[in-house]
Every structure is written in C-alpha cells, then in structure tokens.
Amino acid sequence: MTSFLDGNSGNAVEYRLADEAATNRLGQDLAMALRPGDLVLLCGELGAGKSTLARAMLRALAANPELEVPSPTYTLCQRYELQLVVSHFDLYRLAHPDELEELGLDEALESGVALIEWPQMAGNLLPQHAFKIELSDDAMGGRLALVSCGADHGAGNRFARSRNIREFLDGSMGETTERRFLQGDASSRRYETAHLGDATRILMDAPRKPDGPAIKDGKPYSRLAHLAEDVTPFIAIDETLRNAGYAAPQIFARSLDHGLLLIEHLGNEKIVDAENRPVPARYTSAAKLLASMHRHKWPATIEIAGDQGAATIHNVPRYSADALLIEASLLVDWYAKRATGKSVDEAGRAEFFAIWSELTGQIDGSMPTLVLRDYHSPNLIWREGETFPGNLGLIDFQDGVIGPQAYDLASLGQDARVDVSTGLEAEIVEAYLSDRRSENGFEEILLLRDYAILAAHRATKILGIFVRLDERDGKPGYLRHLPRMRDYLSRNLRHPALARYRQWCAKWTDIDG
C-alpha cells in the first residue's frame, strides 16, 4: 500500500483492495475525512464496487454497520440524515446532463455531502472540487482504487490525516479495526470509536493547530485563555487523575507528534436521562466527587513520557484574572450585537472590562485546586455498579488549570447543555457543601461568593462562544442553548456582588437580572 502520510494532496494514490473487507476499510477512511460541501465521485464499470464503497461510507457516518443502504439506481438520489447530511446519487439512468439540476445537487452540497456513482453521465456540469475514486479490477482477482483530490488541498490533507489515523489504529489495535464517527465537541478535536471484536476504544484526533491571530500581548486567544494546543495536557491530567484513584480513561496508545490518542471507552451512560433531563442523584453524586477532588493536593508540574520515552513536562496553567477576563470578553465581542443589533461603544466596552477586572481580581487565587473546566453532562460518564469515585468517568479535561474551587461546581450547577432548575442547583451546591463543612479552613461564605461570580463568568463566556461558533465556525447548532445561558446569567445577576454587572447587562444586552 502506498503511504499517504505525507499528505501530498495533489497526487493520486493507488490502493489494492483484496476483498470486500478492504473496500469497507477504505470507505471508512474516506468517510472520516468528509466535511459539509464535499463531493465524492465514484467511478468504475458495472460491478467495480462503487455501491459497496458508498455503503461503507454511509455506515461509518451512521455509526451503524447494519444500516440499510438501498441502491438509488431508480430513485436517482437517496438522502440520509446522519452525522452529516449525505445525498447518494446514481446517475446511470440520467438521460441528459441537463437533468442534473432537477436532482438538487447544489442544494445537497450546501447542506452536506454528495456521493455520486456514474459521474460521467453529468458531462462537464459537476463542480471541479471533488474526491475522485476510480475503481477497476486487478490481475489478482481483487480491485484497485485510485484516490485523488485534484487541486482541493483541504480535502487531500483531510484524507491524508485519515490514512494517518488508519496506520495508527493498525499498529495499536489491528488491521481489521473498524472506524465509526463519534460526535465531536465545540473545539477542533475530533473523536471516533474504534472496534475490533469485543474491544471498543475512543480515538482522539487532536493535531497541533497553528496559532490564531494575536489579540493581546502578541498572543492568540488560545494561549491567553490557556487552552490545550496538543495532546500533552490531556495525557498529563489523565495520568494524574488516575493515579489519585479517579476514573479517567486509560490511554492504550499515543502519538504526541501526530496528536493521536487511543483511550478507554468509559461507557455510554451520562448523568442525564434519555430525554436529556438531569438525573438528580447523579448530579449530586458528581458534586460529591468534586468535594473529594478538592480535598486533594494537585501538582502544578506533571512529567509524562514522550513518544520516544524522553520525559515531557506539562506545567498546569494558573487560571489567572487575565485569563478569566479574556474569556469574559467574548460576550462583548460576539454576543451583545447578536442580542441587540448594535455594537457596544467604547465607553460601554471600557465599563465592561472595568467591571470584570474588579470581579476577577476578587477571585484571583481564591481557594485553588485542579479545575477540569468543563465539568458538566457531556463530560461525565455514569458507570452503574462501580463504587465511588469510580462511578463517574471523567473526560475532556485537557484545558485543566489551577483555579478557584467554585468553578467546576458552577459548571455542574448551571450545566450549559441541560436545564438545571434552581431547586436542583441548590441540591447540587448543598451536596458539595455538606461534604466540606467539617474541614478545617474551609470557607463556605467565600465559596458561595466565588460560585456566584464564576457562574456569571461562565454564562458570559459561553454566550459569546456559542455565537462565535455560529458566525465564525459555521456551527449554528449551539444557538439552541442561548436561552438557557441567558436564564443562568439572569439568575446569577441577582447576587449582590454582581449588581454593577446587572446594570451593564440591562443596558447592553437582552438580559436583566
């Protein structure tokens, strides 16, 4: 097999497909590289394996190896609402290329991905950017697949990355490992499930990204806010949590250079029910887990093994007032105009930053601990039958920092993805406090003040992030959470410590506490 690791996206690469299993593997690798707007051309004579390859791609995107994929020979197009919207075209019966417009190809590419069998029937009417797979028989009874991406370097690089992952999985689990799409998160990280027999692992795809534009002191947002830029922080915090007896995933294989991890699948149960409603007992258990963690002494410097065994050091960042302030600024930069239709003027911006400089100054260095930073329902795995603290699996903590104890409690008590009532929030906070009150030196009043400020900060930040995800990154799905975050922020603004911010929000946003 020709290696595609170097990502030479302009060149065609040939693969020998000895059997249907090999065709399925190539289909999975192609599927993992697809993004909305991609066009995939499946070329070859009758019986060359075009439908087999299309079926493998669709099943990988559906995360369902049994998905029914009928041939669109007679319907000409079959649409699938999967992790991506996929339109599967078969143009064999197309009488004239002009009929292509009636099939809605342009609309299909606007909303998702198009797979086209017999693309030659469309003449020269297809877009130039495409994955092109030419299938033919070989002399040994199998097939050859020639994969090219033309001048579309983005598509070529994505497929190169997918093949890189295939080689990583081949070496880590085995050459018959099956790949399935797994929902990602709001960051640039991607996840897959990898299956071999009864074994299921999670593949984390997190290559180092180039720096974004400098926004302050010559640094991009990611550095100012202390966001993980490679997989080293995940490994360091994961090993630290596991060594302390907490249920973070075991890491089975790693490549720091390529940004790939193969980790334990902790389970599918969350702390919410099937209708995405909080399960109160699970939320209060998660609060007690935080109380346990906050009694622990966490290191600020962690040593891990690198790819060749040499030690690599991760210094856990401090969640400083500057980092908190740059996160809060997302509301004034992104959310305020979406909410009111007008930008915040210079005087309004100056007042906003003065308010948050004062608030973050109050909590800077207050009651420090390891902050996992997104301690809420998507990242807490309920493990029925396990004993505490192993009954809660912890994931997505690569952005962990040393910061105030109240931060993760506020993340849980005002879950960004789930409606947490004021009554349940009070139960969550009380479950935490009841496990801490007997400790010497624990300051409940200080904790509650920090909670109010940090809950307001988190809502402020997330309102900005969700609008940014829509406007900058083309991810409108997060907008459905805005009403919840507005409600949380309004709830927080009733605290006396936030009186001045309440007045600012009433003037410059649609939120009034």
Side-chain angles (χ1 to χ4, degrees):
M1 183 185 75
T2 304
S3 175
F4 211 59
L5 283 175
D6 292 334
N8 195 1
S9 59
N11 298 331
V13 182
E14 187 174 76
Y15 301 92
R16 182 173 183 275
L17 308 176
D19 50 27
E20 185 170 327
T23 303
N24 287 335
R25 282 160 52 84
L26 177 59
Q28 293 168 23
D29 297 343
L30 284 163
M32 296 302 120
L34 295 179
R35 300 292 183 274
D38 281 342
L39 174 64
V40 181
L41 307 181
L42 300 169
C43 308
E45 298 301 321
L46 283 169
K50 299 184 296 297
S51 295
T52 300
L53 188 59
R55 186 181 306 115
M57 296 169 71
L58 288 163
R59 287 176 172 174
L61 289 170
N64 178 7
E66 306 301 325
L67 178 72
E68 288 290 333
V69 182
S71 172
T73 299
Y74 293 101
T75 60
L76 299 185
C77 180
Q78 187 78 30
R79 182 181 169 93
Y80 298 85
E81 300 277 350
L82 307 175
Q83 303 290 352
L84 296 170
V85 178
V86 183
S87 299
H88 182 195
F89 295 87
D90 186 325
L91 305 185
Y92 185 73
R93 296 177 58 249
L94 202 68
H96 191 277
D98 290 344
E99 295 178 11
L100 183 65
E101 184 175 353
E102 300 174 15
L103 296 180
L105 176 61
D106 290 342
E107 293 82 356
L109 290 173
E110 286 177 5
S111 60
V113 172
L115 311 181
I116 300 183
E117 299 185 41
W118 298 99
Q120 63 268 36
M121 302 301 291
N124 62 356
L125 297 183
L126 292 175
Q128 293 301 305
H129 70 284
F131 286 94
K132 184 177 181 181
I133 301 95
E134 299 177 75
L135 294 162
S136 60
D137 292 336
D138 74 357
M140 301 176 66
R143 295 191 178 99
L144 296 176
L146 190 67
V147 181
S148 61
C149 300
D152 190 346
H153 294 283
N157 289 336
R158 280 186 271 121
F159 185 57
R161 180 68 179 177
S162 185
R163 293 302 300 170
N164 192 169
I165 291 170
R166 171 60 73 184
E167 293 187 8
F168 176 74
L169 291 174
D170 285 353
S172 304
M173 289 186 72
E175 293 188 358
T176 58
T177 301
E178 293 193 357
R179 301 168 64 184
R180 296 286 181 263
F181 188 92
L182 183 66
Q183 185 64 45
D185 58 20
S187 75
S188 59
R189 289 180 292 274
R190 289 181 58 259
Y191 296 90
E192 302 175 16
T193 55
H195 305 269
L196 182 63
D198 293 332
T200 299
R201 306 281 186 256
I202 301 295
L203 184 284
M204 180 192 293
D205 176 17
R208 175 177 282 277
K209 297 292 184 181
D211 284 342
I215 62 175
K216 184 182 178 182
D217 300 332
K219 298 178 181 179
Y221 177 86
S222 60
R223 290 192 189 177
L224 293 167
H226 303 311
L227 302 182
E229 297 183 322
D230 56 32
V231 297
T232 298
F234 181 94
I235 297 170
I237 295 176
D238 179 88
E239 291 180 353
T240 300
L241 289 169
R242 287 178 57 82
N243 289 339
Y246 296 98
Q250 181 180 351
I251 299 174
F252 296 104
R254 64 180 74 181
S255 173
L256 276 67
D257 288 342
H258 288 102
L260 295 171
L261 297 177
L262 190 64
I263 65 177
E264 181 182 3
H265 187 5
L266 293 176
N268 295 310
E269 282 290 314
K270 297 295 182 72
I271 61 173
V272 294
D273 65 17
E275 283 72 44
N276 205 42
R277 297 173 302 195
V279 179
R282 297 181 181 182
Y283 272 75
T284 54
S285 182
K288 289 179 175 295
L289 183 67
L290 278 179
S292 169
M293 292 178 62
H294 293 171
R295 289 192 291 269
H296 195 84
K297 180 69 173 178
W298 299 102
T301 300
I302 304 169
E303 181 178 305
I304 66 168
D307 284 349
Q308 283 74 46
T312 296
I313 301 297
H314 174 59
N315 295 308
V316 185
R318 189 174 70 86
Y319 211 178
S320 64
D322 285 346
L324 290 161
L325 187 59
I326 202 68
E327 289 183 322
S329 70
L330 293 171
L331 180 136
V332 75
D333 289 338
W334 293 93
Y335 178 78
K337 186 174 182 179
R338 170 66 70 95
T340 65
K342 63 179 181 179
S343 298
V344 180
D345 65 22
E346 287 304 313
R349 291 180 65 87
E351 185 181 8
F352 177 89
F353 286 108
I355 291 168
W356 274 107
S357 292
E358 178 185 346
L359 290 170
T360 55
Q362 291 182 51
I363 58 176
D364 191 22
S366 177
M367 304 178 74
T369 189
L370 176 63
V371 175
L372 301 187
R373 214 162 176 182
D374 278 315
Y375 191 83
H376 60 167
S377 56
N379 302 328
L380 296 172
I381 311 299
W382 185 253
R383 307 174 76 210
E384 191 69 41
E386 299 288 340
T387 57
F388 184 88
N391 60 332
L392 272 167
L394 305 172
I395 60 173
D396 199 25
F397 39 68
Q398 57 280 327
D399 296 329
V401 289
I402 300 298
Q405 295 175 6
Y407 189 91
D408 281 344
L409 185 62
S411 300
L412 180 69
Q414 296 188 0
D415 194 322
R417 306 298 180 87
V418 176
D419 292 329
V420 178
S421 67
T422 55
L424 178 55
E425 182 183 7
E427 290 181 37
I428 292 166
V429 173
E430 177 56 29
Y432 175 88
L433 293 174
S434 66
D435 281 10
R436 302 291 312 274
R437 287 192 180 105
S438 62
E439 294 177 33
N440 290 330
F442 177 69
E443 300 180 71
E444 180 173 339
I445 294 175
L446 183 60
L447 185 285
L448 292 173
R449 182 210 65 179
D450 290 356
Y451 181 97
I453 294 173
L454 289 166
H457 172 271
R458 185 166 171 80
T460 294
K461 171 179 71 173
I462 292 175
L463 285 166
I465 287 174
F466 286 170
V467 172
R468 185 178 67 178
L469 283 167
D470 174 43
E471 296 184 3
R472 188 193 71 180
D473 302 332
K475 297 179 179 180
Y478 291 92
L479 296 178
R480 70 184 186 275
H481 302 300
L482 292 183
R484 177 183 308 116
M485 300 314 301
R486 285 195 293 264
D487 177 69
Y488 287 154
L489 183 52
S490 180
R491 192 184 297 182
N492 299 321
L493 292 175
R494 297 165 194 161
H495 193 280
L498 294 155
R500 188 179 172 197
Y501 188 41
R502 180 171 66 248
Q503 294 172 353
W504 188 94
C505 287
K507 181 177 180 180
W508 291 107
T509 74
D510 55 349
I511 301 164
D512 187 347

